[in-house]
Structure formats: C-alpha cells, structure tokens
Amino acid sequence: MTPTYYLVLAAILFTIGAVGVLVRRNAIVVFMCVELMLNSVNLTLVTFSRINGTLDGQIIAFFVMVVAAAEVVVGLAIIMSIFRTRRSASIDDANLLKY
Amino acid sequence: MTEGALLAAEAVSTGEAVTFWIVGPVALAGALGMVFSRNAIHSALWLVLTMLGLGVFYFVQQAPFLGVVQIIVYTGAIMILFLFVLMLVGRESSDSVVETLRGQRQAAIVAGVAFAALVGAGIGRAVYDAPVVGLEEATADGGNVVAIARILFTDYLFAFELTSALLITAAVGAMVLAHVEKEPSERRTQKDLSTARYASSRPGTLTGPGVLATSNSLDTPAILADGQPAADSAATGIEMRELPPVPDHDTTPTKGTPR
Amino acid sequence: MIDSPSVSYTGLSPVLFVLGAALVGVLVEAFVPRAYRWGVQLGVALAGTLGALISVILIAGRNELTLSRAVAVDGPALFIEGTLALLGVLSLLLLAERSPDMGGSAFVAQAAVPVGTVRDRQLATLTYSQTEVFPLATFALAGMMIFAASNNLLVMFVALEVLSLPLYLMAGLGRRRRLLSQEAALKYFLLGAFTSAFFLYGLALLYGYAGTVDLRGIFDQAAGSEKSDALFVIGLAFLVVGLLFKAGVAPFHAWTPDVYQGAPTSVTAFMASCTKVAAFGAIIRVLYVGFGNNDWTWRPVLYGVAIVTLVVGSVLALTQTDVKRMLAYSSIAHAGFILTGTIANSPAGLSSTLFYLLTYGLTTVGAFAVVMLVRDADGEAGHLSQWAGLAKRSPLVAAVFSLFLLALAGIPLTSGFTGKFVVFRAGLEAGAAPLVVIALVASAIAAFFYLRVIVLMYFSEPAADGPTVAVPGLLTTISLAIATAATVLLGVAPGAVLDLADRAALFVG
C-alpha cells in the first residue's frame, strides 16, 4: 500500500459525511456528519503533509480542529435554543420558511 | 507499477500497512454506523470510534502531536459535548420514515456513491505514484512538536491570533443562547415557596410513585388507589408516559388458610 | 530561537481598529451596567469602524504582504476594507436602532429564554435587548476584512469562520417572530458548516498539489508541477463551491431567501451587503492571484454558474410576495452580475467588480433600511400587498425606496447603472459577449419586478388597515441619508470613485 490509500479512505469518509448531511433528519446528527467531513479533511491534510514532506499540513489540521471546536459550540447552542422551544431536533419541523 | 509507485510503497512499512488494514475498516464501519444508526446516541458513539481510528492514523503517519490532540480535543472534548447536548435535547427524536422530498434518500445515496468513486478515483490516480518525502527532514531539529511550534509562530502566526477571535465569538454566543439571567429579586427563597404552598389549596407534598409503580423515572405518573394516574404527579415540562392498565385483582379465593 | 515575523501594523490598522472595537465590546458586556450598555457599545463599535475607514483612506496606496505573507495590503484589499468599513458603519446604525416608533430594538431581550413561555412574554415588554450584537457584528466585520485580504488559504478559512459564526448567532436573535429567526439561524448554520467543509477539502487537495497554501505558492506550482492536474482541478472546484456559497451564487443560493427573510432586517442588511462584498473580494483574490494563469479551469464553470445565477435570481424573484425574499432573490441576481465582471480576469474586470460591490452594498443597505420602516401592528409589513399605495402615506420614503429599486435595476443616473455599465464593459472586452447578453436580459426581467413594486407604491390604493411608515429614528435616518446620497452621487458623478477603483486594481503577491 501507499499513502494514497489514506487519501482514498478520507475521500470515502468525506462522502459518507456528505450523504449523511443530506439524509438524516436530526439536526445534531447532521452536524455530526459535518464533523466527520472535517475529520476526513484532517486525514487528507496529514497524509499530504507526509507526502510533501512539509509540516504545514499538520498545522492546518490543527487549526481545523480548533475551528471545529468553536463551530460545535455555536452550532449546538443554536440547536439547543431551538429544541427548548420546539421539543424536537428534527430539521423537518423547521418549515416556517418556505418558497 | 511505475517506479514512483514502488518508491511510494516502500515509504510505508509493513507495520503501518497492517495498522491501516485493521483500523481503516473500523473507521469506515464507524462512519457508516454513524450515518445509518437510528438512535442519535449510537451515532455519536460510532463517530467516536471513527475519530479514535483517525487518531491512530495520525500517530502512524508521523503526526504524534496531532494524534494526541485528536484524541484529547476532538474525541474527548467535542464528542463529549455532542453527547451532553444529545442527552439534553436530541435523544428521543428518531428520524421519521416519512420523507419530505420523495426519493431524497435514494438519490442522496446514489449520488454519494458516484461522488465517492469520482473523487476517490481522481485523487488516487493523481497521487499514487507521487514520491513520498516523509517527515524525517522536517522534524529533524527537535522533533515533531518543536517543528510544529517553529512554524506555528512564524508562518501561521496570524491564523493563530485570529482563532482567538473565533473562540471569543463562540464563548459569547454560547452565553447569549444558553445563559438565562435571573433578576436578583426573582429567585424565590424556600420560605417563600413554603408560604405559597400553605396558602394554596393543597399544602401536602405531591404524590410520588406508589406501590403499583413499575418504574421510578420522572415521566411515570403516580397511581391512585383506584389504578388511575394521579394528574398532579406530572412533572412540569415533560410528557408523561402512558401507563399500561393495572390488572384487576384476582378475586379467586386462595387455597388454604389466609396467612 | 525563532524570529517572529514582521508585522506591518500600519497596513493592518483597519483590521486592528475593528478587532479592537470587538474586544472592547466584549469587555463592555462584562463590566458596564445594563442601562448604559447600548450607548457604550454603539460608541465603541462606531469608533472602531470609523477608525478603520479613516485609516484605509490614510494608508491608501500601500502595496505589501505582511505577517509572513499571510495578509495582503494592496489596492483591492484596501478598497474592500474601506467599503466594508463604510457599509459596517451604516449597518451598525441600523442594528442599533431602537426608537419606539420603529418597534423598539430588533433584538431579543434574552435569547436563552424559550419562545412562548411566560418569561418570554414578560421580557417582550421590557426595553433592553442583547447588546452582544455589537461585538458580534464587529467580529464579523473584522473577519470579512481579513477574508478579502488574506493571501493564504488557511487564514482565509479561519477568517471565513470568524465572519460566519457571529452571523449565525445574530440571525437567531430576533425579537419579533422568534421562531422564524431561530429557524433562519439553524438553516444558515447547517448549510454554512456543510459548505465550509467543502472549502476545507478543496484547501487540503490544493495543499497536496502545491505543498503550500500560500496563493502565490499555488500559482507557481500550477505553472509546472510533477503531480497530476486532477488534484488541482478537484481542489479548485471544492474551494470555489465554498466561496460561492458565501456569495449567495446559484446553485448554492438556497439559504439566501430563507435566512434573509427570517433574520432581523438590520442583520439582513448587514449580511446582504457586507458578506457579499467580502465573499466576492475573496473569490476575486483567489481566482486572480492563485489561479490567474489557469483560467481555463474556472472560467467556463463560472460562466455557466453566472448564467444559472442570473436566471434563478431574476426569474424566481418574479414570483415572490414578500419584500425581503424578493430583495434576497434580487441579491442572487446581482451576484450573477458581479460574476460577469469577475470572469473577465483582467484589471478592468477587477476594478469593475470592486466598483459594483461598493454601489451594490450601499443600495442594499438603504433598501433594507426602508423595509425596516414599513410597519404594522405585528412588526414589519413584509407582504408586498401591504406596500400598496405607500406613496400616498409617505411620499418621501416611497421616493427613497423607488430610488433604491431603480438603482438595483440599473436605471441611468443611479449608481446601479454605472456599476452595470463597467461590469458589462469588462465582460465584453474579455469576450464574454453571450454572457453579457444574458445579463442584459436578466436585467430587464429584474427591472420588471422592481418597477412593479414602484407602480404598486405609487398607483395603487392603500389598504384601509394597511401598515404605516414609521418615523425613522435618528440612526436610521443617518444611514438612509448616506446610502441615498451615495446612490445618487455614484450615478451622476462616479468618475472619482471609478478612478479609485482603477488605481486599486492591482494585486500584490
């Protein structure tokens, strides 16, 4: 095997995450699928860092983790504030805004 | 295989290959489990499995610092935060089977498979014979952490400082959306509560679960002597469970003398 | 020991002013008693944004890269920072509006209280509001400035998040129609997080291709690299997807109508103007600096995307019955016009895009400010039918709104006409004649629905129980006056600003 296998695995994980975002209804699970996508990006970055021989990829991955943490805080706060009102985290229920 | 691909294959030791083929499917299973699991908490746990798998990959690919950060920060902090919020709000909502857009699920899965094939194949073909430089030279002077620190505080200093703005925003946002400020005069002391209770028509404590209760969870109402659920034993803000009907007393006489 | 990178504090001063105002704003939230918070926050935010505007004017003409090539201080960056500072001032005035005639503050008193509870109803009667909106808005503004000035894809990504997170939060802080507001915040957040994951994946692939995320580095690598082009193209595609989402370009436009409609109108004004300016600033920097030589990759795709955007924006706006949704679709169409200039990949394309962004931003802020004024018992009167006969009730406001609509339509003597003229000229010079033709057709379609609203306001009978036009508070009046003056000025005498945009049209790095 070559490090390319990691890249292919990361691409597959990215796609699984993207499909999850489109398919799942629970807002928190949708957000977890986004987190999976970010993780696959991290794996891609670390693998490319090794292939290219520079550490920039690892540092970018580090920043991605920090940004993901901040995003999780804000996102879960938004989801919680909606849940407290609606008693449901289903995104199908978020249907007041329409065509 | 081309020479480049052979060289690339040499950069990967057997141990690493074994690790990949063991942990890789585990990570993949975790991802699939997360997307297809009915229960949201199971989804979170599958994602934890995937993240731990990825942490192993970082260790194996000469990124020990990142591996540790992945396990401590990503899995240990972010996923635990997810689990907290799931416990608080999202647990009971399993996704409904009825689809808002017809065929959306199938279309998404088909598109996803096609997309994965396209991107995966494209990347795979693009990189499979690229020379793998490896990180020995980059981390020669002091190791992985020192090298990361060196670059972090020179080339990426501004990004580092900018993330502070991000974290402040996150903290402010969390407090705005989650922190209810109580007016100082609002909080009723125990004396106030007690006075109010005695002034009301029912000074006694509310009924708790009784002898015939089958569970003592908060959403089980208490049962009155005639088997009906007590209306005022409902906890506020929670939908009470429907109780199975209490079976009638068996009125056949017991054999032998009463004890 | 490592050498710390050189920092050009003068070059960064606009950004530093706004960031400083944001940080002081957070401290104000902690330490200032509630009664004074609104005033102090507004003062701090305005001081920071005006300071940024003045410093942009003072340092105009600089051309350098600072912070180890992470941030560019060049013509386009400064032009956009100045535009953002100006639009930021106008938006902050709208955000701060809390005159009783306009329904008090647009922001909820305590966002953490669930909607519909007793406490929520109690709080709706009180006059204070979440003044955290001010530091959030200034953080977003700082992020936008850096987003358009970043020379390094990682800084661009972090800046993208810095500008997005406060906007997600602000969209959910509406006081009236809280459910709608929270839903808008959720939609914006989920879709935004999804697309920034795409942006990141593109970043990762480009890093893999080039070994660096510096835009110049990518440019140099693209000139000759032993790696296959597939990485480059796929990476660019993902990156552009992320950027086009932020700019509200079709087919990634679905969030725009819902979020614009659900968020409080002053936040919508902020988003519709500033975010688009920042997003296009970043798009143009990435495409011209990083991929300027490889426009065979992105030009055809953006060509098609521009056509789809123009069609979607103008055609779907025809069916809208809500004013804010109509303006949202029109902003999608305008993104298409801006793309027409961007595709040119020439200095003329760059300067025309910069000018169009300025005029579009000012007009949009003004249009949404007028939407804030038309109110009935429930709050803002959103439905177009309620706007019938508005000219009889308030001729001045109707005239101002007509001016903005005409500017959006691109009628001569308004800033919109000058903007469209330079953009179409740049597109024609670059050989994109079919696109310009489609853009003209879309312009005509768009003009139809703008004029329909004007006709509705002037030539229909007002409903008996229709909405009234509130007397604008001082802050809204200032904002409207500046926007109106700029719209007229840039239409009648745009020469000076056009020259400025031309001189600014040179990238560093």
Side-chain angles (χ1 to χ4, degrees), chain B residues 125-136:
Chain B
R125 293 195 56 183
V127 183
Y128 85 104
D129 59 354
V132 176
V133 177
L135 287 167
E136 286 77 19

Side-chain angles (χ1 to χ4, degrees), chain C residues 62-347:
Chain C
R62 282 180 98 95
N63 218 342
E64 60 182 347
L65 286 173
T66 178
L67 279 165
S68 33
R69 299 183 55 88
V71 179
V73 184
D74 57 6
L78 288 175
F79 191 93
I80 294 201
E81 284 175 15
T83 309
L84 284 171
L86 177 61
L87 295 174
V89 167
L90 298 181
S91 309
L92 278 168
L93 292 172
L94 292 179
L95 287 171
E97 182 61 69
R98 59 171 199 179
S99 83
D101 204 29
M102 293 184 60
S105 172
F107 295 104
V108 68
Q110 277 195 41
V113 173
V115 178
T117 56
V118 173
R119 179 106 181 103
D120 182 43
R121 282 192 281 273
Q122 270 176 350
L123 287 170
T125 60
L126 300 178
T127 49
Y128 69 86
S129 66
Q130 299 267 190
T131 45
E132 281 90 347
V133 172
F134 293 100
L136 285 176
T138 30
F139 268 125
L141 206 58
M144 290 170 190
M145 287 186 180
I146 300 172
F147 190 49
S150 50
N151 194 44
N152 176 315
L153 285 178
L154 175 65
V155 170
M156 198 177 273
F157 170 66
V158 178
L160 173 64
E161 293 298 318
V162 171
L163 84 90
S164 303
L165 292 190
L167 289 178
Y168 303 152
L169 291 165
M170 282 161 64
L173 290 180
R175 192 186 198 102
R176 291 165 278 274
R177 300 185 198 146
R178 280 189 70 191
L179 286 175
L180 220 59
S181 179
Q182 285 176 342
E183 185 181 313
L186 180 71
K187 281 189 180 164
Y188 196 14
F189 166 71
L190 283 178
L191 290 174
F194 185 50
T195 33
S196 65
F198 272 88
F199 181 93
L200 257 185
Y201 200 62
L203 186 156
L205 292 177
L206 284 172
Y207 167 71
Y209 177 76
T212 169
V213 282
D214 185 272
L215 283 178
R216 182 76 202 190
I218 296 175
F219 179 81
D220 290 335
Q221 270 292 331
S225 166
E226 63 275 8
K227 293 210 183 65
S228 121
D229 271 347
L231 266 185
F232 180 70
V233 172
I234 301 180
L236 177 61
F238 277 87
L239 200 75
V240 165
V241 163
L243 288 170
L244 290 181
F245 169 85
K246 215 63 210 165
V249 170
F252 315 109
H253 66 283
W255 61 276
T256 312
D258 288 345
V259 174
Y260 282 19
Q261 189 191 10
T265 312
S266 41
V267 174
T268 310
F270 184 53
M271 283 196 291
S273 53
C274 298
T275 314
K276 222 182 263 292
V277 170
F280 272 106
I283 287 176
I284 220 173
R285 182 172 292 274
V286 165
L287 291 179
Y288 282 32
V289 176
F291 305 97
N293 264 359
N294 293 283
D295 58 3
W296 56 269
T297 47
W298 52 267
R299 273 191 82 186
V301 174
L302 279 188
Y303 206 100
V305 163
I307 295 179
V308 172
T309 309
L310 288 165
V311 168
V312 163
S314 29
V315 168
L316 285 181
L318 287 173
T319 60
Q320 297 306 313
T321 52
D322 182 284
V323 155
K324 277 166 81 169
R325 280 185 93 88
M326 184 199 83
L327 287 175
Y329 277 107
S330 96
S331 80
I332 296 174
H334 280 279
F337 294 129
I338 302 173
L339 272 180
T340 315
T342 314
I343 285 176
N345 198 14
S346 63

Side-chain angles (χ1 to χ4, degrees), chain B residues 115 118-123 125-127 129-131 149-151 153-170 172-183 186, chain C residues 2-5 12 15 19 23 26 34 37 67-68 70-71 110-113 119 128 130 132 136 139 146 152 154-155 158-159 161-162 165-166 169 173 198 201 205 213 227-228 230-231 234 238:
Chain B
F115 189 72
L118 187 67
V119 174
I123 296 175
R125 293 195 56 183
V127 183
D129 59 354
R150 195 175 293 128
I151 304 183
F153 289 107
T154 51
D155 290 337
Y156 292 99
L157 179 64
F158 189 57
F160 182 71
E161 301 290 342
L162 199 55
T163 43
S164 71
L166 202 60
L167 295 172
I168 296 177
T169 309
V172 169
M175 279 204 296
V176 164
L177 287 179
H179 173 65
V180 181
E181 276 183 35
K182 286 205 167 8
E183 300 295 317
E186 249 179 40
Chain C
I2 51 180
D3 302 316
S4 43
L12 285 176
V15 172
L19 268 178
L23 292 169
V26 175
R34 184 179 279 155
R37 254 181 233 166
L67 279 165
S68 33
V71 179
Q110 277 195 41
V113 173
R119 179 106 181 103
Y128 69 86
Q130 299 267 190
E132 281 90 347
L136 285 176
F139 268 125
I146 300 172
N152 176 315
L154 175 65
V155 170
V158 178
E161 293 298 318
V162 171
L165 292 190
L169 291 165
L173 290 180
F198 272 88
Y201 200 62
L205 292 177
V213 282
K227 293 210 183 65
S228 121
L231 266 185
I234 301 180
F238 277 87

